[in-house]
Amino acid sequence: MNAVAPRPARVPSGPLSDAADVVEVRPAPRLRGTLRLPGDKSISHRALLLAALAAGTSRLSGVGDGQDVRTTAGLVSALGATVNRRAAADGRVDYRVVSPGIDGLTEPEDILDCGNSGTSLRLLAGILAGRPFHAVLSGDASLRGRPLGRIVRPLRSMGAAIAARRGGTLAPISIDGRSPLTAIDHATEVPSAQVKSAVLLAGLRADGVTSVSEGVATRDHTERMLRARGVAVGTEAIDDTVRVSVAGGQQILAFDEVVPGDVSAAMFWLVAGAIHPDAELVLEGVGLNPTRTAAVDILRRMGADVVVEPTLHPGTDPAVDAVMGEPAGRLSVRSSTLRAVDLGPVDVAAAIDEIPVLCLAATQASGTSTIRGAGELRVKESDRVAGIAAGLTALGARIEVDGDDLTIHGGGALRAARTDALLDHRLAMTFAVAGLIADGPTFVTAASSAAISYPAFFDDLERVLA
Ligand code: S3P
């Protein structure tokens, strides 16, 4: 795959070995260790994009160094901000972004290549809708196949001139932005933080109050991070709907952000620890934003022995932390006895990125788990419903797919197999974790796609085996 540098060859006799882009994971006698996770991907993207909108210098620390976040850093620089990246400890990086501010961003000279990253493309489209110049965004084959109509329709109704392939639904997408835009009240078609964020970011350059209403509350990083940068963002719950609003014309202040560890990355280790018979793992400094921790709660509901210990950034007022900052803490997990779970569309929306690894947990639970309404998983970096069913079936699990619903019969041992990650980071890491408890070596093809969000994943895997 192009988006990720090939991993160096490993010695085949070690616990892991890879040839080309296949990693072999052997069953592990025990899992032990303390890990620090990559900086949260969603927060890292937003920290870079908001730094581009703020005039002055923003210092960002603990940023994730996955390929997707690097892509966003490159896009910010293509729009005229000065971006300096510095490697820090634990595979994290610090950035210093000096920007002329939202009104000083300049027309990019070339196509903006968003690689594999839906978040980069959709959030940036919202920003560019309010800039009076021409820009074209595209990406890799996966991204060019993912739905864009959900952002094109609201951004067009705000006044941006947008053209895209297949009747305005697929990248490449060209945007001729306008300032000011027309404020809108938008009800999202599917629960999506990317759509909400794109419309709110466009709303910063609209001539009134723009609102987004969602039937299911999605991750609220954009709202929190805008507030931290001096922008007033309203959030109100009306019956079963959450309405988020922003008035146009507000100034975005430069801000120094400390990015917590990625809770979505933490989930691979929480599931690994819960399903492995001899495991004790500790994850430090993990982001615990309540709009991101549904998967942790689901795993605990399944009986996982997971302990959550919130910590506060030194000097942070808990009341402020709850609404504006990004809460963080320590997670620990031990070998657990899991029971089946039934998840519906609201759970799927809340744990959208963690459903694949939760499916793996369900294969090891007593009883039959059901996941209903998982259609959005089909339009992620791969068709994750098909990918997870194929991979876990190859590993000997019993899974049925009926439309967008999955039924997983738990309790069976996993057998050695070859699995295909379909160039999808979350599938690569799910199958690698499965390999830790299979009855022989598990081969994961397209394993390097893990680097999209977690470049050190296989190094951390070796660490917990040691
Ligand atoms: C993200 C939102 C989610 C998630 C993605 C990151 C974000 O996508 O799947 O990994 O940072 O806003 P959708 O908004 O499409 O659900």
Side-chain angles (χ1 to χ4, degrees):
M1 88 185 265
N2 295 329
V4 176
R7 289 171 46 74
R10 287 176 189 284
V11 183
S13 59
L16 303 172
S17 62
D18 65 5
D21 194 11
V22 179
V23 168
E24 177 185 344
V25 182
R26 311 234 171 107
R30 92 188 65 76
L31 303 179
R32 290 285 185 282
T34 299
L35 298 175
R36 195 159 260 286
L37 300 157
D40 185 90
K41 180 161 84 72
S42 290
I43 297 173
S44 298
H45 281 300
R46 286 160 174 80
L48 285 160
L49 291 169
L50 295 179
L53 302 187
T57 303
S58 300
R59 289 177 191 80
L60 316 174
S61 55
V63 178
D65 200 28
Q67 186 59 44
D68 274 7
V69 173
R70 286 192 184 211
T71 293
T72 290
L75 297 170
V76 163
S77 135
L79 292 170
T82 304
V83 179
N84 290 308
R85 173 181 167 281
R86 194 171 58 89
D90 304 322
R92 292 168 170 221
V93 292
D94 296 344
Y95 280 93
R96 183 170 167 272
V97 180
V98 185
S99 176
I102 187 166
D103 295 316
L105 297 180
T106 49
E107 182 173 274
E109 286 174 17
D110 202 348
I111 290 175
L112 297 169
D113 183 356
C114 300
N116 194 240
S117 176
T119 310
S120 310
L121 192 155
R122 295 193 179 110
L123 269 57
L124 192 55
I127 292 170
L128 295 174
R131 298 290 72 230
F133 53 65
H134 176 72
V136 179
L137 298 100
S138 194
D140 68 9
S142 155
L143 189 56
R144 293 196 306 275
R146 295 178 62 186
L148 291 186
R150 55 185 68 181
I151 56 156
V152 169
R153 285 185 284 277
L155 296 178
R156 274 183 180 157
S157 72
M158 295 177 84
I162 302 183
R165 224 155 43 85
R166 295 258 180 95
T169 62
L170 294 178
I173 169 175
S174 74
I175 303 178
D176 286 283
R178 204 181 84 181
S179 187
L181 292 163
T182 306
I184 58 166
D185 294 310
H186 181 63
T188 55
E189 302 156 25
V190 287
S192 164
Q194 293 180 359
V195 174
K196 173 178 65 176
S197 301
V199 175
L200 291 176
L201 291 170
L204 293 171
R205 277 294 167 271
D207 61 357
V209 175
T210 294
S211 74
V212 181
S213 299
E214 297 195 294
V216 178
T218 58
R219 66 192 68 192
D220 67 357
H221 303 301
T222 302
E223 297 92 302
R224 286 172 185 254
M225 293 173 73
L226 281 172
R227 286 185 191 118
R229 287 156 179 79
V231 176
V233 182
T235 302
E236 48 186 334
I238 309 161
D239 299 326
D240 288 339
T241 303
V242 180
R243 183 173 175 273
V244 184
S245 56
V246 67
Q250 300 186 64
Q251 209 192 335
I252 303 134
L253 305 174
F255 187 76
D256 295 342
E257 180 98 32
V258 180
V259 180
D262 197 321
V263 68
S264 299
M267 276 302 295
F268 295 105
W269 303 117
L270 295 185
V271 170
I275 64 177
H276 192 282
D278 184 0
E280 271 176 46
L281 298 173
V282 177
L283 311 166
E284 298 279 9
V286 185
L288 293 177
N289 177 320
T291 61
R292 288 288 299 285
T293 50
V296 179
D297 297 337
I298 291 167
L299 193 61
R300 290 172 96 186
R301 239 158 69 204
M302 295 175 76
D305 185 353
V306 173
V307 177
V308 181
E309 296 165 86
T311 53
L312 288 169
H313 298 306
T316 308
D317 173 345
V320 174
D321 211 45
V323 294
M324 211 168 88
E326 290 287 350
R330 173 196 298 184
L331 298 173
S332 38
V333 63
R334 287 167 184 274
S335 312
S336 308
T337 305
L338 298 182
R339 51 184 173 268
V341 72
D342 292 315
L343 303 178
V346 171
D347 304 298
V348 170
I352 186 77
D353 292 334
E354 298 83 25
I355 294 292
V357 79
L358 285 171
C359 288
L360 170 61
T363 69
Q364 300 308 301
S366 60
T368 300
S369 295
T370 57
I371 302 176
R372 285 172 297 108
E376 269 299 295
L377 266 75
R378 294 196 183 273
V379 291
K380 292 294 177 189
E381 286 83 329
S382 70
D383 176 344
R384 288 183 178 158
V385 172
I388 203 74
L392 294 181
T393 301
L395 285 155
R398 284 194 301 135
I399 301 196
E400 288 138 28
V401 177
D402 179 8
D404 294 332
D405 301 340
L406 293 110
T407 304
I408 303 169
H409 304 278
L414 297 183
R415 62 170 182 241
R418 178 170 283 269
T419 59
D420 188 351
L422 303 176
L423 302 179
D424 183 327
H425 55 132
R426 301 212 193 271
L427 296 190
M429 292 185 272
T430 297
F431 298 146
V433 169
L436 297 172
I437 59 156
D439 66 2
T442 295
F443 295 91
V444 183
T445 61
S448 69
S449 50
I452 284 292
S453 61
Y454 195 164
F457 174 79
F458 286 102
D459 299 325
D460 282 351
L461 188 55
E462 283 182 344
R463 214 164 274 152
V464 300
L465 296 174

